[in-house]
């Protein structure tokens, strides 16, 4: 580490260094953090709804809860400042801890132990949620890097308009789940979104949301050119559980969440 002079470059080559960095280079802090905390790499999954109100936040919460139930360290990340806070889906709105409004100004290194102790917890899941102010973020990079390093599974709820935070979350993801209502409008929205998601994320996994009078699974696959991994039917019990702060821990959300975790190698 040092000023990138010809002398330092030469010394670095002689010592077998892979990089010669300036003292204020942020990669210095990242390298030290990995040395102290380990270079862990979470299974990072994003969930996007092709249309509004399709249940993407509920599915993202179910995936994080299912991972925690499997004995994995799991974090649930809110990617939509305008949605009122994903902590409501988890039932964690009264839990003590920091929200994006406190952490979104973080710069440099964010300590793993400090972050894990600071986040609200419910159903075995650490949640980083927006509050009800709707205020967007100044910076998320340091926090996302620590989350990726510190958990077995990180699940993000990403809005379909894919703002700066959404693009960052997809960029960290090994897979993005696109939840598609199985009707004409859902197909059209998904056809528009899939190329954009594929540019940012690793793999696109489609989950169909059956609609009365809508298309079937075969038509959905044919139109999108992507296999439909599962179907998530609407259930009154899920709505009731979420409204009572119990979280989507049972029924169809849990079943689909386990299928998705199996698809990425976590079950």
């Amino acid at each position: 580490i040092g000023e990138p002079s010809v002398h330092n470059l030469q010394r670095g080559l002689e010592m077998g260094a892979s990089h010669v960095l300036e003292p204020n280079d942020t990669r210095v802090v990242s390298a030290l953090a990995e040395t102290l905390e380990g270079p862990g790499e979470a299974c990072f999954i994003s969930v996007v709804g092709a249309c509004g109100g399709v249940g993407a936040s509920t599915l993202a919460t179910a995936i994080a809860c299912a991972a925690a139930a499997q004995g994995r360290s799991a974090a649930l990340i809110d990617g939509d400042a305008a949605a009122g806070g994903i902590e409501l889906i988890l039932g964690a709105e009264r839990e003590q801890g920091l929200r994006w409004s406190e952490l979104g100004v973080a710069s440099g290194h964010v300590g793993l132990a400090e972050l894990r102790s600071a986040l609200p917890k419910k159903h075995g899941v650490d949640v980083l949620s927006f509050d009800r102010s709707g205020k967007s973020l100044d910076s998320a990079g340091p926090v996302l890097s620590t989350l990726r390093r510190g958990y077995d599974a990180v699940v993000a709820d990403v809005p379909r308009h894919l703002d700066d935070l959404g693009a960052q979350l997809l960029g960290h993801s090994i897979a993005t789940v696109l939840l598609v209502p199985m009707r004409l409008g859902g197909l059209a929205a998904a056809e528009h979104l899939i190329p954009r998601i594929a540019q940012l994320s690793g793999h696109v996994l489609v989950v169909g949301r059956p609609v009365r009078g809508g298309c079937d699974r075969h038509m959905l696959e044919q139109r999108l050119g992507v296999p439909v991994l599962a179907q998530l039917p609407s259930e009154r019990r899920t709505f009731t559980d979420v409204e009572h702060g119990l979280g989507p821990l049972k029924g169809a959300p849990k079943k689909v969440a386990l299928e998705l975790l199996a698809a990425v190698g976590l079950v």
Side-chain angles (χ1 to χ4, degrees), residues 250-266:
K250 302 174 183 177
K254 178 181 179 180
K255 179 177 180 295
V256 172
L258 289 172
E259 290 183 59
L260 290 167
L261 290 175
V264 297
L266 280 184

Side-chain angles (χ1 to χ4, degrees), residues 1-4 21-26 28-29:
I1 301 172
E3 297 296 332
L21 308 176
E22 297 182 29
N24 61 348
D25 194 311
T26 57
V28 175
V29 177

Side-chain angles (χ1 to χ4, degrees), residues 5 16 37 45 69 73 125 165 182 202 213:
S5 64
E37 299 175 345
I45 303 168
S73 58
V125 175
L165 176 58
M182 298 169 70

Side-chain angles (χ1 to χ4, degrees), residues 78-222:
D78 195 347
D80 191 351
I86 200 169
E87 62 187 6
L88 295 170
I89 307 294
L90 189 65
E93 65 272 17
R94 291 189 173 89
E95 301 299 322
Q96 295 296 314
L98 300 182
R99 273 67 178 175
W100 269 127
S101 54
E102 292 92 7
L103 285 172
V105 295
S107 61
H109 173 60
V110 177
L112 173 57
E114 291 79 8
L115 181 63
R116 294 188 72 163
S117 65
L119 293 179
K121 298 167 177 60
K122 192 71 179 285
H123 304 305
V125 175
D126 293 355
V127 58
L128 179 50
S129 178
F130 284 101
D131 53 25
R132 259 58 74 198
S133 69
K135 184 180 178 182
S136 58
L137 296 178
D138 296 322
S139 172
V143 175
L144 295 182
S145 295
T146 301
L147 287 166
R148 188 174 67 175
R149 191 170 61 248
Y151 291 84
D152 297 324
V154 177
V155 186
D157 176 31
V158 178
R160 64 189 183 282
H161 57 263
L162 298 183
D163 57 10
D164 289 342
L165 176 58
Q168 289 184 62
L169 290 167
L170 292 189
H172 282 288
S173 300
I174 65 167
T176 295
V177 180
L178 182 60
L179 187 57
V180 183
M182 298 169 70
R183 52 181 169 80
L184 186 59
L187 285 171
E191 287 174 330
H192 173 71
L193 272 171
I194 285 175
R196 297 174 61 201
I197 293 172
Q199 288 180 341
L200 296 167
S201 182
H203 298 281
V204 181
L205 304 174
V206 171
V207 173
R209 187 75 148 168
V211 177
R212 181 175 295 180
C215 67
D216 60 16
R217 185 170 185 160
H218 174 71
M219 182 179 178
L220 189 63
E221 291 181 337
Q222 189 176 46

Side-chain angles (χ1 to χ4, degrees), residues 241-252:
D241 285 349
V242 169
E243 285 295 298
H244 285 82
L246 302 177
L249 305 183
K250 302 174 183 177

Side-chain angles (χ1 to χ4, degrees), residues 14-61:
E14 291 173 356
M15 295 171 63
S18 59
H19 298 86
V20 179
L21 308 176
E22 297 182 29
N24 61 348
D25 194 311
T26 57
R27 289 176 294 174
V28 175
V29 177
S30 297
L32 291 173
E34 287 192 7
T35 300
L36 294 172
E37 299 175 345
E41 189 76 13
C43 180
F44 208 114
I45 303 168
S46 287
V47 181
V48 181
C51 300
V54 74
S57 299
T58 299
L59 180 56
T61 304

Side-chain angles (χ1 to χ4, degrees), residues 213-244:
C215 67
D216 60 16
R217 185 170 185 160
H218 174 71
M219 182 179 178
L220 189 63
E221 291 181 337
Q222 189 176 46
R223 282 285 298 271
L224 299 183
V226 178
V228 176
L229 187 67
Q231 294 185 77
L232 179 62
S234 298
E235 289 184 337
R236 184 179 295 274
R237 180 173 68 177
T238 300
F239 175 81
T240 302
D241 285 349
V242 169
E243 285 295 298
H244 285 82

